[in-house]
Amino acid sequence: MSSSTGKAYRVSSSSSVQPCHQFSFAEIQSATNDFDDQLVIGEGGFGKVYKGCIYIEETSHVVAIKRLDSMSNQGAAEFRAEIEMLSKLRHRHLVSLIGFCDDNKEMVLVYEYMPHGTLHHHLHKACTYITWILRLKIAIGAAHGLDYLHNGIGTQHGVIHRDIKSSNILLDENWEAMISDFGLSKVGPTNKSISYVDTSVKGTFGYLDPEYFYTHRLTRKTDVFAFGVVLFELLSGRLAVDRRFDDDDQCSLVRWAQKCVKDRKLDQMVDPNIRGTISHKCLRQYVRIANRLLCSVVKERPSMTEVVASLQVSLQLQEKHDNSAQSLSNMRFPWKLPKYLVPVTKENSVDSISPTKMNSVSDKTASPLRVPPSPSRFSMSPKLERSGSVHLTMSQVAQATQNFSSSLILGEGGFGTVYKAQLQNGQVVAIKRAKKGCKRAETASELLEIDSKKTRNPLSRARAQATRVEHFDALRSEFISEVELLAKIDHLNIVKLLGYIDKGNEHLIIIEYVPNGTLREHLDGIHGSFLDFSQRLEISIDIAHSLTYLHLYAEKQIIHRDVTSSNILLTDRKRAKVADFGFAKLVDAVNDKMPIMTKVMGTVGYVDPEYLRTYQLTPKSDVYSFGVVLIEILTGRRAVELRRSYEERVTLKWAFRKFKDGEVINLVDPLLKEDVDVDIFAKMLGLAFQCVAPTRVDRPDMKAVGEQLWAIRMEYLRHGDKGN
């Protein structure tokens, strides 16, 4: 990729105009791999948008590159308009223009890159779970940007965007809203006595102001109308125009929304994905302002300044609701559950229980935090050396697994297949074999690889070959990372790494064999034996101990990132061992206090909503997942059960509703044959609800969770002694 000086260019003589960089077409070609279709991140009326990397003064920048399509209805006028417009505009909620190329009839615009793409994509294509709070913040950010356009350039005039829609609202790495695409924008009247610009109609069907359409009179209120459509999109999750409906009132979001408001059916307007999470006061306030934006009388529509203020009131109402004692953010859990919290006192704290006292309580009692000896100095090498390690060749593995017989499969996951294997010395182990096209690497391969069989271009074939090499290297790197991470772990409640094979395209991890299947299988009753309450409590403590070790006592802090009931294995004595570290993250000691910015990994139903929203990973993400597992342990249900009614599909929400209504006894797993102490059960449930607080600051750390579980265990044993 060539290095550019990024020549600065001013599009106007005005001193207020910001310089942007003029690039050569060769630089644009280099930045986009000659406009490789696999780098396309969007397409609109102007043309395709590519993700690229470009150099400005020897510094590389990831950018979005929009190239005018020769067949587009837009052309030089829109191209120049956007350069002129964006060179004048600088605001935190407007996409910045970095530069352009006007070379040999090629017209290209270069913008800052927005990692999360368009709002339209997340609402209508990706089916991303966006919380109501985040939707409100996106609306407020976009409203701020539009308010600046209308009023922020000077006292004499403003800019009318003319094409406000969800696909022109981009989201940055922090999910902040950015208004984009100024090709149709118009500078407003400089004379304040004139409120409109006479112009031909431009815009997008479904967002188009009817008054502008009929009169050709363009005003700032034309943008206000379009933004009202976006507000109802955010609330309902519906398209501005949905041609799946034959009825015009259903097909048009505007008509449908106005009818719902008229009939006072506000609850029917809420996206099913966030239904039940919006406070009634917030909903009324939000719908009131959104509906005013669609008013047929232009003068009665509010200004964007007023819209910003009204949306901020909506956010305050929602946050007040979420922070009340009777709500736990968007899932409506209480922040405080004083009746069911177990304070760590001198009597029941971890440090205060003497060995004599522990032995006198029960022969099962062990140190509640199994702190390991001094951190292991073991490091990976071609020959793995640690206690109990095994060294195998591929032929020995084939023999031990009966040539990877399907009859010996223990399970399958994203990494590959796990086989039970018996070695020549009689030792039974589990062998995890990576897929030849590992799913996690396959995604990148699908995005990048060019099928050389479909092209005669030697350059493309060479690039395809290089991509396959990169794909293989990425898979091997992921494999080595997991092996090295497992080698740093030494804890009673975590599966042990015994060896590995890294040869050719074979990647195998050899771990200890845990004979009793997964926790999920036992909760489902697959093995024919059911876990009693005491066993479930012990398993909960085992898991808490293992996560405490990973977060606090391992050689380097480790975040598991995929704590699920299917990743908890049980020994023949029904003790838990945490497995599957394919998604785990090793935290650098320098940054152990800071969240890690990373793409979201995990299992649906267990993923921390704050991690999902912010891409910031912390140990509290594991705490959230543990809370979901704890609810599974108590209720027996899976995290998500699609076969159930809408109200019961998400076990977490269902459990809290029952808990809040005082129906704790109805949450007890029907497979528990014994009489369960409701007070002990409720305390464990209360702890689970603390763990699943949607914001990490409100969750306890795993050490505190382990201590509370230990205190609950001591109380449970005392109750048992009294019963005897």
Side-chain angles (χ1 to χ4, degrees), residues 131 133 137 277 316-342 608-610 613 620 623-624 652 656 659-660 683 685-700 708:
T131 65
I133 286 285
K137 290 179 178 178
T277 68
Q316 290 166 3
L317 289 170
Q318 186 64 39
E319 288 178 335
K320 183 179 179 181
H321 172 266
D322 289 351
N323 291 331
S324 69
Q326 296 303 314
S327 65
L328 187 61
S329 190
N330 61 356
M331 287 187 288
R332 302 174 67 193
F333 297 154
W335 294 114
K336 304 294 183 183
L337 298 165
K339 180 180 178 182
Y340 301 109
L341 302 188
V342 182
D608 168 13
E610 190 164 25
R613 178 174 59 84
K620 294 293 184 72
V623 174
Y624 181 93
L652 184 54
F656 182 74
F659 181 86
K660 183 181 177 183
K683 285 180 178 178
L685 203 54
L687 177 58
F689 292 141
Q690 289 182 69
C691 293
V692 297
T695 52
R696 64 176 69 97
V697 70
D698 296 297
R699 300 172 199 155
Q708 289 201 43

Side-chain angles (χ1 to χ4, degrees), residues 106-123:
E106 286 285 353
M107 288 177 275
V108 180
L109 296 166
V110 181
Y111 307 91
E112 61 178 324
Y113 174 64
M114 296 289 114
H116 286 132
T118 70
L119 175 61
H120 184 275
H121 176 76
H122 290 286
L123 287 177

Side-chain angles (χ1 to χ4, degrees), residues 9-14 16-18 20 76-90 97 100 109 153 159 182-183 185 187:
Y9 175 83
R10 290 185 184 273
V11 295
S12 169
S13 59
S14 169
S16 64
V17 176
Q18 299 291 327
C20 60
E78 287 80 7
F79 174 72
R80 286 292 170 192
E82 186 140 8
I83 296 174
E84 289 282 352
M85 201 68 64
L86 281 175
S87 295
K88 298 173 184 176
L89 305 175
R90 287 293 183 272
L97 179 69
F100 68 96
L109 296 166
I153 294 180
V159 171
F182 292 81
S185 298
V187 175

Side-chain angles (χ1 to χ4, degrees), residues 130 193 304 346 441-442 535 694:
I130 309 176
S193 65
M304 285 309 303
K346 285 187 177 181
E442 216 169 66
Q535 289 170 328

Side-chain angles (χ1 to χ4, degrees), residues 103-245:
D103 185 356
N104 193 27
K105 296 184 179 180
E106 286 285 353
M107 288 177 275
V108 180
L109 296 166
V110 181
Y111 307 91
E112 61 178 324
Y113 174 64
M114 296 289 114
H116 286 132
T118 70
L119 175 61
H120 184 275
H121 176 76
H122 290 286
L123 287 177
H124 307 304
K125 294 182 179 179
C127 298
T128 308
Y129 176 70
I130 309 176
T131 65
W132 176 237
I133 286 285
L134 181 55
R135 295 184 198 214
L136 282 172
K137 290 179 178 178
I138 289 170
I140 291 169
H144 271 300
L146 197 50
D147 184 37
Y148 167 77
L149 288 178
H150 290 179
N151 305 296
I153 294 180
T155 57
Q156 295 297 314
H157 62 276
V159 171
I160 304 170
H161 188 281
R162 218 168 30 152
D163 200 18
I164 292 295
K165 55 185 178 181
S166 57
S167 56
N168 283 340
I169 296 174
L170 304 184
L171 302 169
D172 71 4
E173 66 276 7
N174 297 317
W175 295 84
E176 291 270 358
M178 302 283 177
I179 293 178
S180 69
D181 201 339
F182 292 81
L184 302 181
S185 298
K186 280 284 184 182
V187 175
T190 55
N191 186 339
K192 288 189 176 180
S193 65
I194 301 174
S195 61
Y196 65 88
V197 182
D198 222 349
T199 178
S200 60
V201 175
K202 298 278 188 180
T204 301
F205 188 65
Y207 299 87
L208 208 56
D209 173 12
E211 285 300 303
Y212 170 45
F213 181 79
Y214 289 121
T215 67
H216 287 215
R217 291 183 172 186
L218 177 68
T219 74
R220 294 170 179 81
K221 298 298 179 72
T222 303
D223 283 348
V224 170
F225 181 93
F227 190 72
V229 181
V230 172
L231 289 184
F232 279 117
E233 266 189 280
L234 280 164
L235 177 65
S236 67
R238 291 174 63 131
L239 292 160
V241 178
D242 194 337
R243 301 193 184 280
R244 292 176 300 176
F245 296 103

